Amino acid sequence: MANTSSKRIASQNEVAIKNMCYGHLLGNIVPLLIRVLFRREAFLLSKKAIALYCVSLALSHFLYRQLKRMGTPRRDSTGNLVSSGDDLNQPGMTDWTFDVLYISWLAQVGSAILGEWFWWIYIVIPTFVFYKSWTIFISPMLFGRSSSLGQEEQKQEGSSKRQEKLKKRSERGDPRVKQEGTWNTQTTRK
């Protein structure tokens, strides 16, 4: 029997997959209809536009299938939940996969409505990857610790309100605080 958390994740995943299905259909069919009905000549004459649309369609379909496969809950023959699937609301790669999927849909619809220059929206993806790589890996390796890490370190060196409070208790000889050696290791009774 599945616990409450698994049931909650499964129901959230089912809603997310249903919404993603609607988005996938609208994001891929609406641009095609706009191009065929209103911009037929421009679309059919441009091999570049057809190629970009096909690549974008393939990318969005691949990401849609991956997310659907990851998040689909499995049930046994009686309908009981066996596995809730991966949590589609988790941060990190799953969240970024959704972002790339949304950008693909935006590029398809935007290029159909506004023109072929709108495919440049895809430049957001490598820019974001470079930004994340720079702040997490490259900058700390080249220049040592980043400024944000330095600020966190300064916070840790300074005393927090709780540490100050425990220090005052230990100075008064409060039995709730133990002192060991030069470092104050504070433990409180429960």
Side-chain angles (χ1 to χ4, degrees):
M1 179 172 211
N3 59 18
T4 308
S5 176
S6 295
K7 289 179 183 178
R8 181 185 51 79
I9 290 172
S11 67
Q12 287 176 346
N13 284 353
E14 288 170 344
V15 170
I17 289 170
K18 183 175 116 183
N19 291 337
M20 192 172 49
C21 179
Y22 293 143
H24 185 64
L25 289 173
L26 289 174
N28 291 313
I29 292 174
V30 168
L32 188 61
L33 289 175
I34 291 171
R35 289 176 190 277
V36 170
L37 296 176
F38 300 111
R39 302 187 76 219
R40 174 178 281 176
E41 300 83 28
F43 184 62
L44 294 178
L45 294 177
S46 175
K47 291 180 182 178
K48 179 178 139 184
I50 293 171
L52 287 171
Y53 179 75
C54 290
V55 167
S56 178
L57 181 66
L59 176 66
S60 68
H61 187 68
F62 172 74
L63 294 176
Y64 166 75
R65 297 289 299 164
Q66 286 295 102
L67 288 169
K68 185 177 178 182
R69 183 187 57 78
M70 284 173 32
T72 302
R74 291 184 316 167
R75 301 187 185 275
D76 61 7
S77 60
T78 61
N80 293 331
L81 186 65
V82 174
S83 170
S84 62
D86 293 340
D87 186 6
L88 293 180
N89 290 327
Q90 65 186 350
M93 289 303 290
T94 305
D95 195 27
W96 295 345
T97 305
F98 272 109
D99 292 343
V100 173
L101 185 63
Y102 297 150
I103 289 171
S104 294
W105 293 340
L106 179 67
Q108 290 171 359
V109 174
S111 67
I113 295 171
L114 300 174
E116 303 309 319
W117 63 270
F118 204 81
W119 291 109
W120 283 99
I121 193 78
Y122 270 114
I123 201 75
V124 169
I125 297 168
T127 304
F128 181 73
V129 169
F130 177 75
Y131 168 74
K132 280 298 197 181
S133 299
W134 180 264
T135 57
I136 294 173
F137 301 113
I138 299 170
S139 176
M141 289 170 71
L142 292 177
F143 305 114
R145 293 184 162 228
S146 68
S147 60
S148 64
L149 291 176
Q151 291 172 355
E152 289 176 16
E153 189 175 300
Q154 288 176 355
K155 276 186 176 179
Q156 290 175 354
E157 288 176 3
S159 300
S160 69
K161 289 181 180 180
R162 183 174 186 277
Q163 289 172 336
E164 292 292 329
K165 189 175 175 181
L166 290 172
K167 184 177 177 184
K168 287 179 184 178
R169 281 185 186 170
S170 68
E171 289 172 356
R172 287 193 311 240
D174 196 330
R176 294 180 287 181
V177 181
K178 293 181 182 178
Q179 290 185 3
E180 295 178 8
T182 58
W183 292 94
N184 288 341
T185 306
Q186 292 89 10
T187 57
T188 58
R189 282 191 239 162
K190 293 183 179 179

